[in-house]
Amino acid sequence: MIKAVKHINGGINSAVGEYLVNRLIPENDIQAVGPVVFLDHLYPTEVKSDAHTIPDGSFAHPHRGITTFSYVFAGGLSHYDSQGNFNQIGAGGIQWMKAGRGIIHDELPYATTPDRKFHSLQFWINLPSGVKQEAPEYMAVQPADVPEVELPDNSGRLRILLGNFGCTTSVIRTFTPQFIYHLKLNPKSTYRLPVKPGMEYAAFVPSGEVLINEDVIGKSKIAIFEEGGDEIEFRNPDIAVADVIIFGGAPYEEPIVSRGPFVMNTHGEIATAYRDFFDGKYGNIIYKKK
């Protein structure tokens, strides 16, 4: 049985520094999909920096209580943080950071092609209360290290960015049942994704248009699914490969309190997160070239 679409969301434009993004989660009564409490789509944009540029720190900011997950469609992305981590990824790579009890990070988009285009997504994934006070962690996953599987009937490929699909598992650590897949659907092809019972699902189409259970979804829109059903149908009517990001996980059962860059379980914990930041407990970033 097909898993029905409950809600289609076009997002709201928001400025993040000098960049324009489409904020898709949270939205109205949709506070989360599984553990995902935040999704920003940074539209394809021309960037000034290159791989050798060091940021000036003006975009550095703290987090506590979540993991951040940045996925690049085009261009490259540098990561710096107050634990001394630095790395860069290209298109198809992932910057993952467990903020835990507190960290400051800075991400700098840069150009890798003559058109100087950068295009990406960032998720915030909520941590269980018992993990929110753990030490921060960081991992950069290069494009070649993201596992992929071939889909039946030459319909395309599925990149397992987070979680698992069948016997194939992402290298990134998870703390609750959760997944992020990048479906690369071949021209004029159809794929039916089997869904796991008890999990919440959403699908995002960054550009172009795809038929999802016969609903046209595309151009930076997201489809959020009802409970029930055992598969989702994706159909690409176009003559070019279509990209779909499919994500979700087990429902987050604890209270969610979000303020600025912090996601905790109580208002008191939010107040403590801000106090610890202003008291300098998250450290400082030391910028350096790779």
Side-chain angles (χ1 to χ4, degrees):
M1 184 175 69
I2 291 292
K3 190 175 186 66
V5 173
K6 175 173 67 175
H7 182 70
I8 298 172
N9 174 21
I12 299 173
N13 279 349
S14 180
V16 177
E18 62 184 283
Y19 302 109
L20 185 66
V21 304
N22 188 19
R23 186 148 297 163
L24 294 137
I25 297 175
E27 190 267 341
N28 292 331
D29 59 341
I30 306 297
Q31 190 177 23
V33 177
V36 174
V37 292
F38 179 95
L39 173 58
D40 266 2
H41 175 211
L42 197 156
Y43 300 119
T45 188
E46 184 175 327
V47 294
K48 301 173 185 176
S49 54
D50 60 35
H52 305 292
T53 305
I54 300 176
D56 61 9
S58 59
F59 189 64
H61 58 280
H63 287 294
R64 177 181 277 188
I66 57 170
T67 65
T68 61
F69 183 104
S70 298
Y71 183 60
V72 176
F73 292 115
L77 185 64
S78 294
H79 168 99
Y80 302 78
D81 67 46
S82 56
Q83 295 287 306
N85 298 304
F86 167 76
N87 214 322
Q88 297 177 306
I89 57 166
I94 300 161
Q95 296 279 16
W96 176 87
M97 183 184 74
K98 184 186 86 175
R101 60 177 174 252
I103 193 170
I104 301 171
H105 79 147
D106 196 349
E107 290 185 305
L108 178 70
Y110 62 87
T112 60
T113 55
D115 65 5
R116 307 194 69 80
K117 284 292 187 292
F118 180 79
H119 183 199
S120 74
L121 292 174
Q122 185 173 91
F123 296 85
W124 292 4
I125 303 170
N126 209 355
L127 290 169
S129 58
V131 183
K132 288 179 182 289
Q133 295 301 325
E134 290 185 357
E137 298 179 41
Y138 166 74
M139 175 183 285
V141 183
Q142 301 302 331
D145 297 324
V146 175
E148 295 185 356
V149 296
E150 292 278 357
L151 299 177
D153 304 319
N154 197 32
S155 57
R157 299 181 66 82
L158 193 73
R159 311 188 83 223
I160 296 83
L161 310 183
L162 186 68
N164 69 283
F165 180 81
C167 297
T168 305
T169 302
S170 167
V171 298
I172 296 175
R173 187 180 177 196
T174 58
F175 302 90
T176 61
Q178 57 193 248
F179 57 89
I180 303 176
Y181 307 140
H182 180 183
L183 170 62
K184 299 178 75 68
L185 194 58
N186 282 339
K188 298 193 177 295
S189 295
T190 299
Y191 172 64
R192 288 195 167 196
L193 175 79
V195 304
K196 300 174 184 178
M199 302 281 252
E200 297 178 345
Y201 278 77
F204 170 73
V205 182
S207 58
E209 291 182 334
V210 173
L211 290 168
I212 301 179
N213 298 347
E214 299 304 322
D215 287 307
V216 178
I217 311 293
K219 300 178 181 177
S220 197
K221 289 184 179 179
I222 188 174
I224 297 171
F225 295 89
E226 298 273 8
E227 296 180 4
D230 53 22
E231 61 183 7
I232 303 169
E233 183 181 85
F234 299 90
R235 182 156 60 91
N236 177 15
D238 206 346
I239 59 172
V241 172
D243 296 303
V244 185
I245 300 295
I246 306 160
F247 65 93
Y252 190 86
E253 303 289 358
E254 300 178 273
I256 301 173
V257 181
S258 176
R259 292 292 183 275
F262 306 124
V263 182
M264 304 301 291
N265 302 117
T266 69
H267 291 282
E269 290 171 343
I270 291 288
T272 300
Y274 274 103
R275 183 170 60 249
D276 287 350
F277 169 63
F278 289 120
D279 286 346
K281 293 183 179 180
Y282 297 0
N284 294 292
I285 299 175
I286 300 174
Y287 294 96
K288 58 185 178 181
K289 290 186 178 181
K290 189 174 181 181

